Amino acid sequence: MAAGKNEHAVVINDPQAIRALAHEARLEALEELFASQASRTATELASRCKLTPSAMSYHLRALEKYGYVRRAPSEGDARERRWQAAGDRLVVESFNQTPSAKSAFLNVQLGAFRERLAAEVSRREAEAKAGIEPPADRHPVMTTGMVFLSEEQREEFISRMYNLVREYEALAEPEERSVDAQRVYYMLSLLPEFEQASPGTAGPAQHKPGLPKR
């Protein structure tokens, strides 16, 4: 998620706090608040999350309880409460959560992105049926793969990929991060391969992907 110049990460490493994220609407609301670094009302977030404003308010209060979001100053109509991210970025970084907490969080994250992929596939299929020619340089809906890299190249590759994301996150001016702004969603996960130790034997530490940083 977007990081400002004076970066302040909200670090989550408590199993209960992670379980609080295991809800699609809460994740979408957090993504909106952290990426935009702007305040939103429950009504605005409800529209994006396909919920009623009262249901969205309930979820926002739950997120506030765990320190993900906070109340923001009113703009105009003081009767409508505004919310903002509690920091510049959200990081889920502990390897010590319970398996159920990690699985619930990952399943919701992957499920939400799976729906976005399916929606884009359906949109392209509808265009094809309507006889609309796709752009010659249209990118695939999803790309996965593997590259062979030395340790030095691996570190450079990972660093450059994340730096590119941060560069484009920082391009939009505050006024360009409105509720109606155009969005491009991405999911980035770069997983180096490490040798696994055989179960029950001594050996190098096992690679544990853990939870993604956002």
Side-chain angles (χ1 to χ4, degrees):
M1 291 185 179
K5 292 181 180 179
N6 299 315
E7 189 174 277
H8 170 61
V10 177
V11 180
I12 308 301
N13 52 27
D14 174 66
Q16 287 298 112
I18 293 170
R19 282 198 185 91
L21 290 176
H23 189 290
E24 185 178 343
R26 292 181 185 183
L27 278 177
E28 187 160 352
L30 280 178
E31 190 168 54
E32 177 70 19
L33 293 174
F34 274 88
S36 69
Q37 287 295 295
S39 68
R40 299 281 190 262
T41 66
T43 300
E44 290 171 333
L45 292 170
S47 176
R48 295 204 59 82
C49 299
K50 299 178 177 60
L51 293 177
T52 64
S54 60
M56 193 72 252
S57 293
Y58 167 79
H59 289 303
L60 287 165
R61 288 193 298 270
L63 293 172
E64 179 187 32
K65 174 184 174 182
Y66 290 104
Y68 296 114
V69 302
R70 61 189 174 210
R71 314 292 173 105
S74 298
E75 297 178 7
D77 188 352
R79 294 172 299 176
E80 184 136 39
R81 181 175 297 153
R82 302 191 71 83
W83 299 85
Q84 63 186 168
D88 297 312
R89 62 190 178 100
L90 180 65
V91 178
V92 183
E93 67 171 14
S94 173
F95 292 109
N96 299 318
Q97 303 96 2
T98 62
S100 61
K102 287 190 288 189
S103 294
F105 177 68
L106 286 172
N107 286 339
V108 172
Q109 282 271 34
L110 295 172
F113 208 81
R114 188 182 298 114
E115 289 188 7
R116 288 174 180 151
L117 287 172
E120 177 62 14
V121 169
S122 296
R123 186 183 72 83
R124 294 188 182 193
E125 288 175 345
E127 287 182 351
K129 288 180 181 178
I132 300 174
E133 284 290 326
D137 59 350
R138 171 181 273 182
H139 298 294
V141 174
M142 182 176 70
T143 300
T144 63
M146 176 180 67
V147 289
F148 293 88
L149 302 173
S150 67
E151 184 174 351
E152 182 179 351
Q153 290 170 329
R154 183 186 74 204
E155 294 305 314
E156 180 187 8
F157 176 64
I158 293 174
S159 177
R160 288 177 66 181
M161 291 292 283
Y162 281 106
N163 284 339
L164 182 64
V165 169
R166 284 191 284 269
E167 176 188 343
Y168 276 86
E169 283 180 337
L171 284 179
E173 297 297 329
E175 62 271 16
E176 297 174 315
R177 301 172 187 263
S178 70
V179 174
D180 301 322
Q182 292 292 312
R183 293 157 172 75
V184 174
Y185 294 97
Y186 65 87
M187 177 172 279
L188 181 61
S189 183
L190 304 173
L191 305 175
E193 180 184 48
F194 292 102
E195 183 179 351
Q196 298 274 346
S198 300
T201 64
Q206 293 189 23
H207 169 58
K208 298 180 181 180
L211 296 172
K213 293 186 177 182
R214 294 173 58 80

